[in-house]
Amino acid sequence: MRVTVCGAGIAGLTLAWWLRRAGAEVVLLEKAPGPRSGGYMIDFFGAGYDVAERMGVLPELHAVAAGIDELVYADGHGRRRAGLRYATARALLGGRVLSVMRGDLETILRSALDPGTEIRYGTGIAAVRDAPAGVDVELTDGTAHRADLLVGADGLHSEVRRLVFGPERRYLHSLGYHTASYLLEDAVLAAETGRRAVLVGVPGRQAGLYPVRDGRLAAFLVHAAPQAAPPADARAEILRRYRGMGALVDRILAHCPRDPYYDDVAQIRMPGWTRGRVTLLGDAAHAVSLMAGQGSSMAMGGAHTLAVELLGAGVGAALDRYERRMRPFVLAKQRSGRAAAHWMVPRRAWRIALRNRLFGLAGLPGGAAVLGRATRGLSSGL
Ligand SMILES: Cc1cc2nc3c(=O)[nH]c(=O)nc-3n(C[C@H](O)[C@H](O)[C@H](O)COP(=O)(O)OP(=O)(O)OC[C@H]3O[C@@H](n4cnc5c(N)ncnc54)[C@H](O)[C@@H]3O)c2cc1C
């Protein structure tokens, strides 16, 4: 079987690993000019963790995981208002959770690939023609390619989705927030932060700081934004939005680079992910948003599910089964993402106070079980 995968991110690399293992011919197309690192911090558990274990990459992931002991909600000066010990969350998940930089996860998945796997960097898709005998793909480098299946694993703003299923506006549902993140080096701030993830919230805005394994810090910003389109100058927008939240946030802002990661917080909702010999995977098909968490886990769980189905049946039946198995998990996660947004970045002061109070209670006996129920659902069942 020949499979073209557009997007060498978390979903695309995982799918390539499983398909190559079964002897399929895989070509990965990646628009970035080369391997990327960094990104933002992700909490990694559930199906993704299970799939990573089966791929044998858990030791590498544990080696690069951030050592975080506590998640703290603080005031503008960094003073603690509420917190949750990571040990509580870890225990609820049976210890099967990691905090890793997205770039590190990607690097480890890439390194695990069979060395014969072709990754064409700086290359995307210009046109797609589907036919009963195969799918013809014209690449942006001017070459053409025929495969039995084209998989769009090219993220939230998928080009494969646009070309085959129509414009993004049909499927992208903004949750009313923008997010930004960047890495920073500040030894004093790193020492003060220690092994804590620190979040500062005021109505409609939340600025956070996560320790990264090598002494660096990852800034993580989310604010309410009525318009979906990101601004032309992301850095200027960040400074405008987050100034005035206190001394700690001002110190984080002082490190904001020219081109931070910046995007709309959105979900992709589609009635179907497959057309002929073209299917979508990961965020391209069903982004759940950072509000839901587990987007990377869904991407890896989906990639594994798709690979298993493809190896067991013809393309048509496999795509049908892949979608039927994934959809209930996706819909549940998307629902929880929409509900979580109000609590992650509350727009009213009373909600922040209530959220902090509930957060504190989660550390008490019984409270943890409630938190556990909220985090369960997508596990090795995929
Ligand atoms: C701030 C933030 C925090 C998050 N926190 C968490 C978390 O705690 N836990 C969690 O599990 N998830 C989290 N997520 C979500 C998670 O990062 C995504 O769900 C996950 O990365 C999706 O993987 P993917 O492979 O589908 O897409 P992506 O990771 O976006 O990869 C897509 C790939 O396709 C490439 N590409 C794009 N367009 C083209 C094109 N036209 N041609 C070729 N290649 C292309 C891109 O360069 C990229 O390499 C977070 C997301 C954000 C933004």
Side-chain angles (χ1 to χ4, degrees):
M1 178 185 292
R2 284 161 304 158
V3 182
T4 302
V5 181
C6 184
I10 294 166
L13 290 166
T14 307
L15 178 67
W17 189 94
W18 286 97
L19 290 179
R20 285 289 298 161
R21 187 166 173 256
E25 236 179 84
V26 181
V27 176
L28 280 156
L29 311 172
E30 170 55 53
K31 103 175 156 181
R36 295 175 307 166
S37 57
Y40 38 82
M41 184 70 81
I42 58 177
D43 290 322
F44 185 65
F45 57 98
Y49 193 100
D50 299 342
V51 172
E53 184 172 46
R54 289 185 215 171
M55 292 170 73
V57 296
L58 273 189
E60 286 88 340
L61 284 171
H62 276 280
V64 299
I68 301 177
D69 292 339
E70 194 183 19
L71 178 63
V72 170
Y73 281 104
D75 66 15
H77 301 284
R79 286 183 301 240
R80 190 179 193 287
R81 286 285 172 262
L84 179 70
R85 307 288 303 168
Y86 258 55
T88 309
R90 261 187 223 115
L92 288 166
L93 295 163
R96 298 173 67 79
V97 55
L98 290 165
S99 298
V100 286
M101 290 300 288
R102 181 193 170 284
D104 285 339
L105 173 57
E106 211 175 88
T107 302
I108 288 166
L109 292 174
R110 198 183 308 110
S111 312
L113 271 185
D114 172 315
T117 316
E118 186 182 354
I119 307 184
R120 293 199 200 169
Y121 287 104
T123 310
I125 289 201
V128 180
R129 254 184 322 278
D130 196 9
V135 53
D136 291 316
V137 179
E138 252 175 58
L139 307 185
T140 51
D141 63 7
T143 60
H145 196 78
R146 171 167 274 215
D148 299 305
L149 175 68
L150 167 65
V151 180
D154 47 350
L156 185 66
H157 304 293
S158 167
E159 183 66 5
V160 174
R161 190 181 60 229
R162 190 186 71 75
L163 287 169
V164 178
F165 296 83
E168 179 171 290
R169 69 180 136 73
R170 280 193 205 156
Y171 310 111
L172 187 138
H173 296 263
S174 176
L175 296 189
Y177 298 87
H178 283 182
T179 185
S181 65
Y182 51 89
L183 282 171
L184 57 111
E185 284 183 49
D186 182 326
V188 178
L189 202 47
E192 285 171 21
T193 306
R195 292 170 62 94
R196 301 174 312 156
V198 182
L199 301 173
V200 178
V202 296
R205 285 176 288 169
Q206 180 176 280
L209 205 52
Y210 286 77
V212 181
R213 74 193 141 91
D214 48 11
R216 289 180 300 168
L217 295 159
F220 169 50
L221 311 168
V222 190
H223 63 267
Q227 80 296 351
D233 184 341
R235 181 172 184 272
E237 180 71 2
I238 288 169
L239 298 183
R240 188 174 75 78
R241 292 274 184 176
Y242 291 88
R243 270 193 189 130
M245 283 179 66
L248 175 63
V249 178
D250 286 345
R251 288 167 72 191
I252 300 172
L253 294 180
H255 294 276
C256 183
R258 278 267 127 246
D259 57 345
Y261 168 83
Y262 190 109
D263 207 350
D264 186 27
V265 177
Q267 295 186 335
I268 296 294
R269 298 182 214 144
M270 302 181 73
W273 307 328
T274 297
R275 230 169 242 179
R277 290 178 176 271
V278 183
T279 197
L280 300 173
L281 178 67
D283 273 10
H286 52 63
V288 294
S289 87
L290 65 92
M291 300 297 185
Q294 284 199 298
S296 60
S297 205
M298 304 286 293
M300 289 182 70
H304 177 249
T305 304
L306 177 56
V308 167
E309 295 301 341
L310 281 171
L311 301 171
V315 169
L319 297 181
D320 192 45
R321 282 179 54 86
Y322 148 68
E323 193 158 335
R324 273 194 281 123
R325 285 181 64 192
M326 283 299 292
R327 195 164 277 278
F329 294 104
V330 166
L331 294 181
K333 262 289 140 205
Q334 291 190 328
R335 267 195 307 275
S336 77
R338 292 194 289 277
H342 301 296
W343 295 103
M344 269 183 79
V345 189
R347 292 170 195 247
R348 305 223 185 282
W350 68 264
R351 264 197 202 256
I352 295 182
L354 182 59
R355 190 262 325 264
N356 290 357
R357 181 129 183 78
L358 290 173
F359 221 70
L361 292 178
L364 299 175
V370 175
L371 195 70
R373 278 198 290 281
T375 55
R376 240 172 265 136
L378 185 82
S379 66
S380 42
L382 276 179

